[in-house]
Amino acid sequence: MLDRILNRLEEWIILTLIAAATTLTFVAVVHRYGASNSASLSRWAGAHNLLMLKAAALFVYLKLAAINLSWAQELATYMFVWMAKFGAALGVRTGIHVGVDVFVNKLTPATRKPVIVFALLCGALFTGIIGTLGAVYVYELDPDQVSPELEWPSWMIYLCIPLGSYLMCFRFLQVMWRYLRTGYVPHHAHGIDYEAPHDETGAATLPAGEAAR
């Protein structure tokens, strides 16, 4: 139950962030080009004595110029960064990260298992170290340090480093535990889509011999 809740929460965070960042970026681009083009149109209409068109374009420009979206690019960037960190953890869970398994597939089943376990442990160790270093960095940040446009506390923005890295570490350990129990690991390749574990053993979709990465 807790695992399913974490899975859904992870997916909804990623979905919400990428949808909000995409929408915000689109609105900011429309706002910027709308203001620029309406100002140009107003000048052109004035030069050609098209007074009604000039007034309409000037009205649009003034309305758009009154809306301050200077913070939009900064917020969208932060959203994409957070999305990428949590998306990397989702990638570990679903097996969509790029991997080279030519050597592993040539091993016998007896020798293949420790190699896969070692690779997963290396992933967990690396992300655990990054998460710890990120936590130390966030802890040592000046509490008064803020972002340029939004003026949000910097620790709030950089918190994605330890959170995302620790979640990746957990996913590596989770994949390893399921592999030791079932011999299966998640894998995306050659048109095969990931299927979440649904039986009591928590098996994924492909045998380790085919999915080892």
Side-chain angles (χ1 to χ4, degrees):
M1 177 63 71
L2 291 177
D3 186 44
R4 288 198 296 270
I5 292 175
L6 179 60
N7 291 348
R8 298 291 84 78
L9 178 62
E10 182 181 64
E11 292 165 1
W12 274 106
I13 289 175
I14 295 170
L15 177 63
T16 302
L17 288 173
I18 193 170
T22 302
T23 303
L24 183 60
T25 301
F26 173 77
V27 170
V29 170
V30 171
H31 173 266
R32 182 169 63 251
Y33 281 95
S36 175
N37 291 335
S38 60
S40 299
L41 179 60
S42 177
R43 289 193 297 268
W44 179 86
H48 291 76
N49 203 29
L50 302 174
L51 300 183
M52 293 187 63
L53 179 59
K54 176 184 177 181
L58 183 59
F59 175 80
V60 173
Y61 168 75
L62 292 176
K63 288 295 183 181
L64 292 176
I67 303 174
N68 180 21
L69 289 181
S70 60
W71 49 268
Q73 182 177 356
E74 183 178 288
L75 179 58
T77 300
Y78 296 153
M79 285 182 176
F80 278 119
V81 171
W82 274 74
M83 181 271 297
K85 291 299 295 184
F86 282 91
L90 177 66
V92 175
R93 174 165 68 88
T94 58
I96 61 177
H97 284 293
V98 175
V100 180
D101 55 5
V102 175
F103 170 74
V104 177
N105 288 338
K106 292 183 179 296
L107 300 176
T108 63
T111 56
R112 184 182 300 143
K113 186 172 184 178
V115 172
I116 296 175
V117 171
F118 176 74
L120 293 172
L121 282 175
C122 286
L125 176 63
F126 175 76
T127 51
I129 292 174
I130 295 299
T132 302
L133 293 176
V136 172
Y137 177 77
V138 171
Y139 178 78
E140 293 179 346
L141 279 175
D142 184 353
D144 296 328
Q145 182 178 340
V146 296
S147 60
E149 294 291 342
L150 295 169
E151 297 185 353
W152 287 358
S154 294
W155 65 265
M156 184 185 301
I157 298 167
Y158 288 102
L159 196 60
C160 65
I161 300 175
L163 291 181
S165 299
Y166 280 138
L167 183 58
M168 284 187 70
C169 181
F170 169 75
R171 292 305 188 187
F172 273 117
L173 295 175
Q174 185 182 51
V175 170
M176 184 189 69
W177 172 249
R178 285 175 174 163
Y179 170 64
L180 291 174
R181 292 176 59 198
T182 66
Y184 286 75
V185 289
H187 183 53
H188 261 277
H190 307 295
I192 300 174
D193 291 330
Y194 170 75
E195 179 181 334
H198 55 274
D199 58 8
E200 294 182 357
T201 61
T205 54
L206 291 180
E210 298 177 16
R213 300 169 71 79

